Amino acid sequence: MLEMEKDKAIGVFDSGIGGLTVVREIMRNIPDERIIYFGDTARLPYGNKSRETIIRFSRQILHFLQTRDVKALVIACNTASALALETIQKEVDIPIIGVVKPGAKVACKTTRNNRIGVIATKATISSGLYTDFIHQIRPEAEVIGKACPLFVPLVEEGWRKDTVTREVAARYLEELKDKDIDTLILGCTHYPLLRSLIGDIMGDQVTLVNPAYETALQLKELLQEHGIASDTKPQGENPYEFYVSDAAESFRDFANAILPIDIDRAKKINIEEY
């Protein structure tokens, strides 16, 4: 039975394209695994939606991925990890992880002065989930959150290296620079794509934590714990499948710009049917 489980794919979902940073880290760190990715490009951004809406969206996506018979699920969206993970975890019997806990853990290990910054969407910041997780591990830590809502549209517009993006980033991060943080969590899956810019503005004394990378490492452990880690290279011509709820072509172009492989297509589906 477990042998059959091992051959199944990992389901990964995000509100759009940001979760591809998590896919990239899974491909690099667990290359034997098959991946089925869903990007909810018709309904993004999630960062300004209510908890109820995020849970409903997450359930629909989970139902779709279950029809693809995935063996584990990664919620590669900080907002959905913050607002929906606990609810849908109780509704299925496959292992599920989000991106918040792995990032919080590493930030706690990394900080020397107990001053940790978090940049994320408004919903993730106001959920307080990063602060809660950090305080479970390091009660004495001071957590300074900053919502950076414009980062997502700037990345999706392809303006990662534009002077406008640098200007916006400098304004957002100015407040954190004054707070003497030594560790900064990139608390939205789009933000690792601005890593060098953010690092440049914050300076060498601040360590950036990329939850996408930490999530891939935790997923590797989780698969081994459950005895469902693949032990052979994925069979078949396409070990990676990509689905979206809208704008398949621009999704594919963006994916090909950041993934270590070229994908020839992303399939559009009607997620409201699930």
Side-chain angles (χ1 to χ4, degrees), residues 36-49:
I36 296 172
Y37 181 89
F38 177 78
D40 199 358
T41 43
R43 305 187 293 195
L44 60 78
Y46 278 14
N48 54 13
K49 307 263 191 311

Side-chain angles (χ1 to χ4, degrees), residues 92 94 96 100 131 168 193 248 262 267:
V92 286
I94 57 168
I96 302 183
V100 175
T131 306
V168 168
L193 299 168
D262 270 351
K267 192 175 176 191

Side-chain angles (χ1 to χ4, degrees), residues 30-58:
I30 340 176
D32 289 350
E33 296 294 345
R34 290 173 53 228
I35 299 168
I36 296 172
Y37 181 89
F38 177 78
D40 199 358
T41 43
R43 305 187 293 195
L44 60 78
Y46 278 14
N48 54 13
K49 307 263 191 311
S50 69
R51 175 185 289 268
E52 293 70 35
T53 300
I54 301 293
I55 290 171
R56 180 167 66 82
F57 288 178
S58 300

